[in-house]
Amino acid sequence: MSGDADNFEAAVKAKGAEAVAEFKDTRKGVLATVQHALHVNPALVPLFVLVASIIGFGLLLGSKFFSPFALTLILQQVQIVGIVAAAQSLVILTAGIDLSVGAILVLSSVVMGQFTFRYGIPVEIAVAFGLMTGMICGYINGWLVAVMKLPPFIVTLGMWQIVLAATFLYSANETIRAQEIEANAPLLQLFATKFQVGGAVFTVGVVFMVLLMLVLAYVLKQTAWGRHVYAVGDDPEAAQLSGVNVRRTLISVYVLSGLICGFAGWAMIGRIGSVSPTSGQLANIESITAVVIGGISLFGGRGSILGALFGALIVGVFTLGLRLAGADAQWTYLLIGVLIIAAVAVDQWIRKVSA
């Protein structure tokens, strides 16, 4: 009798194991596989949208759009947004947000221009002071968030207003014209330097944007600091318990973000040719748009910084494509708005994998 009981128990266990296996298999459909793939590689969604939009406008407009000149023109148009989006991505990966990036890049460019032309400081030193200005602003943001435990939204909203006012007061709303820069400080326009590859025209600013994204992607994926950034964004308390210095990581993220905004200010001088306290004010909204469309989660801890580059390029493709098609400019805002909402919806769907 005991042998029969043992056999019955073994049969029940085997049946239970089969039932569990069958239950697990029911979840391994195509949709679940896609969901898991997007969870592991969140940049795939914006990459697919980018490729599809390029092909779509190429088929619609023909050679007018699908040409080396037009495609590299998109890169030139989004270089500032792309650089600032890199800074914004770092902050959002820590579950924060930086509304002051646009103001910081403008202040950095104004410092470079004013130090050169008002004080007669060598342009190389003026550029260094401009970059340092961005780092100082970033440090203040990081210190208030990491040490004082203030919400990033409130801190950077206040910093945006303070830096904006400081820029106008310091510059006396004065614009340094392109002719003066070309004649006396051409280094300020370094990022506008062009070179041609075949029929494509590139600028130093475009090359800097792409290299910056690639370097940051490597650092975030392959270094301890990068893993700490993701850990802090995912769960700061768990990260602290596992030995991550959350305070130091947050401050370093905001300082690096400020430095990148300083480079964006330098690139903006080359892009518009002049130093103006009124330019670049929408960079904060545009950078957030690129980051969200690029698949970086606003909840922090998930996303690829290359997605932010794809997001910026998507905006550039739609902007140029609709312009060449003769469509009203409002259609660009409408479609970008749809993309933002769709990107957040996809992010919520992908997050269910880890729920």
Side-chain angles (χ1 to χ4, degrees):
M1 291 294 291
S2 61
D4 293 339
D6 291 340
N7 291 336
F8 177 76
E9 185 177 352
V12 170
K13 289 182 178 179
K15 188 66 176 176
E18 290 176 4
V20 172
E22 289 175 2
F23 175 75
K24 289 183 178 179
D25 287 340
T26 58
R27 298 189 61 188
K28 292 297 184 180
V30 175
L31 195 61
T33 303
V34 171
Q35 189 180 21
H36 178 72
L38 296 180
H39 179 77
V40 176
N41 301 292
L44 288 177
V45 175
L47 178 59
F48 173 79
V49 174
L50 175 62
V51 173
S53 59
I54 290 175
I55 293 174
F57 280 114
L59 294 174
L60 179 65
L61 300 172
S63 59
K64 187 163 60 171
F65 177 85
F66 207 60
S67 66
F69 176 77
L71 295 178
T72 51
L73 179 61
I74 294 171
L75 286 169
Q76 294 179 38
Q77 291 177 338
V78 304
Q79 61 180 299
I80 307 300
V81 175
I83 295 171
V84 179
Q88 189 72 257
S89 298
L90 294 173
V91 176
I92 290 180
L93 283 173
T94 63
I97 196 166
D98 194 342
L99 300 178
S100 65
V101 287
I104 292 174
L105 84 87
V106 177
L107 177 60
S108 298
S109 68
V110 167
V111 167
M112 293 177 190
Q114 293 294 335
F115 272 45
T116 301
F117 289 94
R118 182 187 293 182
Y119 307 127
I121 293 176
V123 64
E124 296 83 1
I125 299 177
V127 168
F129 272 107
L131 298 177
M132 193 180 303
T133 299
M135 295 177 68
I136 292 171
C137 293
Y139 177 81
I140 294 172
N141 280 336
W143 187 83
L144 291 172
V145 171
V147 179
M148 300 301 294
K149 306 296 184 183
L150 299 180
F153 182 90
I154 301 301
V155 168
T156 57
L157 178 63
M159 181 62 73
W160 171 49
Q161 297 284 353
I162 292 170
V163 174
L164 196 63
T167 301
F168 283 111
L169 291 172
Y170 175 65
S171 66
N173 205 16
E174 175 191 4
T175 298
I176 301 174
R177 296 178 300 173
Q179 294 84 348
E180 296 179 65
I181 297 175
E182 291 175 5
N184 302 296
L187 182 64
L188 290 178
Q189 297 181 339
L190 172 66
F191 283 78
T193 304
K194 294 182 179 181
F195 59 95
Q196 193 165 341
V197 179
V201 179
F202 296 92
T203 64
V204 172
V206 168
V207 175
F208 177 82
M209 175 187 69
V210 174
L211 289 178
L212 174 66
M213 290 290 190
L214 292 175
V215 169
L216 288 177
Y218 174 83
V219 170
L220 287 170
K221 195 173 183 67
Q222 302 296 333
T223 68
W225 180 83
R227 290 188 289 273
H228 292 173
V229 170
Y230 279 102
V232 169
D234 188 51
D235 190 335
E237 294 182 1
Q240 186 73 48
L241 291 173
S242 64
V244 176
N245 191 324
V246 174
R247 178 183 297 183
R248 184 186 302 168
T249 301
L250 282 173
I251 291 177
S252 67
V253 164
Y254 280 93
V255 170
L256 181 55
S257 173
L259 175 62
I260 294 172
C261 288
F263 277 107
W266 189 6
M268 188 177 66
I269 297 175
R271 178 63 184 163
I272 66 176
S274 60
V275 177
S276 173
T278 60
S279 59
Q281 301 296 346
L282 295 178
N284 50 355
I285 301 300
E286 293 173 341
S287 66
I288 295 172
T289 299
V291 170
V292 173
I293 294 177
I296 297 178
S297 177
L298 289 174
F299 300 97
R302 195 186 64 80
S304 168
I305 200 165
L306 292 178
L309 174 60
F310 299 149
L313 291 174
I314 288 169
V315 174
V317 167
F318 274 93
T319 302
L320 180 62
L322 291 173
R323 186 184 305 166
L324 292 176
D328 193 295
Q330 301 307 319
W331 281 103
T332 303
Y333 297 111
L334 188 150
L335 291 174
I336 291 173
V338 171
L339 285 174
I340 291 173
I341 296 174
V344 174
V346 170
D347 175 62
Q348 291 285 351
W349 177 66
I350 294 173
R351 285 176 67 87
K352 292 180 182 178
V353 172
S354 57

